[in-house]
Amino acid sequence: MTQGEILYSGKAKTICLSEKPDELIVSFRDDITAFDGGKKDQLQGKGASNAGVSAFLFGILEESGVQTHFIRMEDPVTMRVKKLSMIPLEVIVRNRAAGSIVRNYPFTEGHYFDPPVVVTDYKDDTRHDPMINDDIIVALGLLTHEEIARVKASALKVNLVLKAFFDGIGLELVDFKIEYGRYGNTILLGDEISMDSMRLWEKGTMKSMDKDVYRFEKGDVMEAYRTVSARIFGSR
Ligand SMILES: Nc1ncnc2c1ncn2[C@@H]1O[C@H](COP(=O)(O)OP(=O)(O)OP(=O)(O)O)[C@@H](O)[C@H]1O
Ligand SMILES: [Mg+2]
């Protein structure tokens, strides 16, 4: 693997150029942050946990016909991906109410959404990722209405696949955030899908097995991340 110049260093991952112009090298670091970077720590093994889980989930999504940026793992914390022109949106799918939707609207924590709720946020830390609607997305020139429909349908497909998978390993997929980007004329699923970007509850309880353990100091976050990872890799 040839790891080139650093293109971008985010809160949890470092993105480098590779020897190929259309591929990037993503390193998952041990950094964990919450509340727009207001809380931060380093946790040994966190990068490898998230990288492994992300790679695995991109794999099952590809098998189900969802196109992703994932190419292969180069080592336990390093992923080779297709270089996307990222669309600055966070596409959030919610099966049960938790987090901001409980703070902002009169839903009780754990309320079941049937059908699932899809929310889009404009990805801009300086503006605290405000919620955005379809007309504003189009007005900003990010996506056409037709592309928005395709992205939302893709996010719901991701939800179906992941929800069924996690159910099989005793975990409930409460919600998750994904990001998409353009690759030539196509739109691919990019970034990561990990315990940093999903809410997972131990089935039958509301016990967090994701970054909420860190956000709200509910226990040993690495123990939760290791448990999820071990269940995932024990499932095949
Ligand atoms: N395939 C890809 N091609 C180009 N950029 C990507 C790709 N996948 C993810 N990214 C971008 O790389 C960055 C990943 O870094 P990280 O998640 O650590 O950033 P972050 O701190 O969340 O910051 P940001 O708010 O910009 O995401 C994100 O900006 C993400 O949009
Ligand atoms: Mg990010």
Side-chain angles (χ1 to χ4, degrees), residues 11 13 123 177 179 191-192:
K11 292 186 287 290
K13 304 191 290 299
K123 203 171 139 61
K177 181 273 297 185
E179 296 179 22
D191 205 45
E192 67 177 277

CSV table of all heavy atoms in Angstrom, one decimal, residues 11 13 123 177 179 191-192, ligand 2:
chain,number,residue,atom,x,y,z
A,11,LYS,N,-12.4,14.1,12.8
A,11,LYS,CA,-12.4,13.9,14.2
A,11,LYS,C,-12.0,12.4,14.5
A,11,LYS,O,-11.6,12.2,15.6
A,11,LYS,CB,-13.8,14.2,14.8
A,11,LYS,CG,-14.1,15.7,14.7
A,11,LYS,CD,-15.4,16.1,15.4
A,11,LYS,CE,-16.7,15.6,14.7
A,11,LYS,NZ,-16.9,16.4,13.4
A,13,LYS,N,-11.1,10.0,11.7
A,13,LYS,CA,-10.4,9.3,10.6
A,13,LYS,C,-9.5,10.2,9.9
A,13,LYS,O,-9.7,11.4,9.8
A,13,LYS,CB,-11.4,8.7,9.6
A,13,LYS,CG,-12.5,7.8,10.2
A,13,LYS,CD,-13.3,7.1,9.2
A,13,LYS,CE,-14.3,7.9,8.4
A,13,LYS,NZ,-15.4,8.5,9.2
A,123,LYS,N,-24.4,18.8,6.6
A,123,LYS,CA,-23.2,18.5,7.3
A,123,LYS,C,-22.3,19.7,7.3
A,123,LYS,O,-21.6,20.0,6.4
A,123,LYS,CB,-22.5,17.3,6.6
A,123,LYS,CG,-21.5,16.5,7.4
A,123,LYS,CD,-21.1,15.3,6.7
A,123,LYS,CE,-19.7,15.0,6.8
A,123,LYS,NZ,-19.2,14.8,8.1
A,177,LYS,N,-26.6,6.9,10.9
A,177,LYS,CA,-26.3,8.0,10.0
A,177,LYS,C,-25.3,7.6,9.0
A,177,LYS,O,-24.3,6.9,9.2
A,177,LYS,CB,-25.6,9.1,10.9
A,177,LYS,CG,-25.2,10.4,10.2
A,177,LYS,CD,-23.8,10.4,9.5
A,177,LYS,CE,-22.6,10.2,10.4
A,177,LYS,NZ,-21.3,10.4,9.6
A,179,GLU,N,-23.4,8.6,4.9
A,179,GLU,CA,-23.1,9.7,4.0
A,179,GLU,C,-22.9,9.1,2.6
A,179,GLU,O,-22.4,8.0,2.5
A,179,GLU,CB,-21.7,10.4,4.5
A,179,GLU,CG,-21.8,11.1,5.8
A,179,GLU,CD,-20.5,11.7,6.3
A,179,GLU,OE1,-19.6,12.0,5.4
A,179,GLU,OE2,-20.4,11.9,7.5
A,191,ASP,N,-18.0,7.0,3.6
A,191,ASP,CA,-17.7,7.1,5.0
A,191,ASP,C,-17.6,5.8,5.8
A,191,ASP,O,-16.9,4.9,5.4
A,191,ASP,CB,-18.7,8.2,5.6
A,191,ASP,CG,-18.0,8.8,6.8
A,191,ASP,OD1,-16.9,9.2,6.7
A,191,ASP,OD2,-18.7,8.9,7.9
A,192,GLU,N,-18.4,5.7,6.8
A,192,GLU,CA,-18.3,4.5,7.7
A,192,GLU,C,-19.7,4.1,8.2
A,192,GLU,O,-20.6,5.0,8.2
A,192,GLU,CB,-17.4,4.8,8.9
A,192,GLU,CG,-17.9,5.8,9.9
A,192,GLU,CD,-17.1,6.1,11.1
A,192,GLU,OE1,-17.1,5.3,12.1
A,192,GLU,OE2,-16.3,7.0,11.1
B,2,MG,MG,-17.3,11.8,10.3
